[in-house]
DNA sequence: TGTATCTGTAACTATACTTGTTACAGATAT
DNA sequence: ATATCTGTAACAAGTATAGTTACAGATACA
């Protein structure tokens, strides 16, 4: 239990929801496919709900379904929803401001961080949830590399 | 002390080395600018050394200097050297293989992971250590966004 | 040759983050 | 009413990163 796997789990969850078109899925059933606890799933669903990607219903016969069609959910939307964090972190302690290099590094690194985040976002914007479901269904996993 | 800031620190270290052209820098002095412990710096230098980016000398009057000129060190080289890890992690437990979606997710996610890593690498390949030192020197931090 | 100074690395601690788990209040279909 | 679901708080466990201390080994230099 180390690195953040929320994006991976979120994509898995959404793929399941896309498959059960229209009907509510229970967190318990989703958890079974993802191989984790139902509460972990509900936590992820909570973030996806706040991002407007899914809609949940409480009570008996409740559950969660997609709030938009799979074609209208880009992977970057999922990425932003669970906000996995940055590719690299800045210094945990600020650099020494008495040093010219230390003084200048932070803003340079911060800008670089933003630029990398943008390129990740652009890559993830190329694919929709529908692309993922198709790859999972057809086992045409190569498409994601082409 | 949370996210991996080794790439940020490595870039800071290399920028300092690029400034002291030719002469050895002591880990203690580098640590002062980065605002951390000398051993933390030596650990990062160890990785940069293995990647052939710096050269160290033990003993009195020892220290570390760049092994190549700053123009010949691309940021992607630094990124690979400290191997910060992936943008997102795969499931910590494998998905349920009895579920069609669970069975298909892993390879799809793995391919997506590789593609993202490639786009990060391409972005970082655009800049060299010289670009960083210039931005730090001239405070033309905007360049990294242009 | 002896000493001071530096690196390289092991070992340990502290901290923080992620996940897993239990528990329970609130909502809702039947 | 009751069974069944979600939402969320609270806590435990595992792990990664960074910080720190300690010390062996290398080397310049008096």
């Amino acid at each position: 239990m180390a690195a953040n796997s929320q994006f991976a789990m979120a994509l898995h969850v959404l793929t399941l929801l896309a498959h059960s078109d229209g009907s509510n899925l229970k967190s318990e059933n989703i958890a079974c496919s993802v191989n984790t606890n139902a509460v972990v799933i509900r936590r992820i669903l909570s973030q996806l709900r706040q991002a407007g990607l899914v809609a949940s219903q409480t009570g008996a016969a409740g559950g969660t379904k997609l709030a938009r069609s799979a074609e209208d959910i880009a992977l970057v939307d999922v990425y932003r929803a669970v906000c996995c964090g940055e590719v690299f972190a800045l210094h945990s302690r600020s650099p020494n401001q008495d040093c010219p290099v230390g003084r200048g590094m932070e803003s340079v690194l911060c800008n670089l961080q933003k630029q990398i985040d943008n390129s990740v976002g652009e890559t993830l914007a190329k694919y929709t949830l529908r692309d993922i479901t198709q790859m999972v269904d057809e086992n045409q996993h190569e498409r994601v590399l082409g």
Side-chain angles (χ1 to χ4, degrees), chain A residues 17 22 25 34 36 38 49 62 88-89 101 135 142 145:
Chain A
L17 293 178
L25 280 191
V34 179
T36 185
R49 204 180 316 122
F88 66 88
V101 173
M135 284 186 272
E142 296 72 30
L145 280 176

Side-chain angles (χ1 to χ4, degrees), chain A residues 5 20 37 45 55 84 115 123 136:
Chain A
S5 61
S20 75
N37 190 287
L45 287 174
C84 299
Q115 187 166 352
T123 300
V136 170

